[in-house]
Amino acid sequence: MPTLVRCLPAPLLALVATLFLAASASALTIPLDREFDAGTVGSFGSVTVTANGGDLDFSVSLAGTTLGAGADLHEFYFNLVGTFTGLTILNTNAPTTAYVLSANPTVAGGAGSSFEYGVSFGNGAGGPGNGVLKLATFRISANEALSLS
């Protein structure tokens, strides 16, 4: 089950999910309703992870007006329980720049935080970015089957 979801100041939104591996559930939705560094608390969106064969489909979305019109998804951080080889990402809605999966990423805006994996959604509206992104969807695959519980 997820252990922590934390939002950081807009336009950078970092999301955290810990996924356990077992075959009992086919989808998991994590509400993003945590506190920002500035003390703002509210419902900011959600992360839905769906088991798809041996892969995991992610949908990360922003919602509501609390974040403002310029709110933008930049990065998503997560851990997996277990050891996997050949972890890859398949972009399913990257409008301009392909999403990038990295191992042991530096956590932007999260001093002292660390995660096994991170997905970069691009750098905002500039040349290396995807505009103001409110929804990111992608698939994570590995040489071994991934599943949820």
Side-chain angles (χ1 to χ4, degrees):
M1 300 234 80
T3 57
L4 171 70
V5 176
R6 182 159 196 258
C7 297
L8 299 172
L12 176 66
L13 180 65
L15 310 174
V16 181
T18 300
L19 306 174
F20 289 79
L21 302 172
S24 63
S26 60
L28 173 68
T29 298
I30 304 162
L32 301 176
D33 57 0
R34 301 294 188 233
E35 182 176 340
F36 278 86
D37 291 340
T40 305
V41 178
S43 179
F44 306 113
S46 64
V47 177
T48 300
V49 185
T50 305
N52 184 348
D55 301 335
L56 296 176
D57 290 339
F58 287 78
S59 176
V60 182
S61 66
L62 296 180
T65 58
T66 305
L67 299 175
D72 188 12
L73 290 167
H74 281 209
E75 296 175 324
F76 175 79
Y77 304 104
F78 64 99
N79 294 321
L80 296 174
V81 175
T83 303
F84 301 93
T85 59
L87 210 62
T88 60
I89 187 170
L90 172 67
N91 302 280
T92 55
N93 83 322
T96 304
T97 304
Y99 301 155
V100 178
L101 175 68
S102 60
N104 302 310
T106 300
V107 179
S113 298
S114 65
F115 298 93
E116 294 170 352
Y117 303 99
V119 177
S120 172
F121 301 126
N123 190 16
N130 283 303
V132 178
L133 192 62
K134 306 279 188 208
L135 173 67
T137 60
F138 56 94
R139 176 172 292 156
I140 299 291
S141 301
N143 291 341
E144 300 83 14
L146 302 170
S147 59
L148 298 173
S149 76

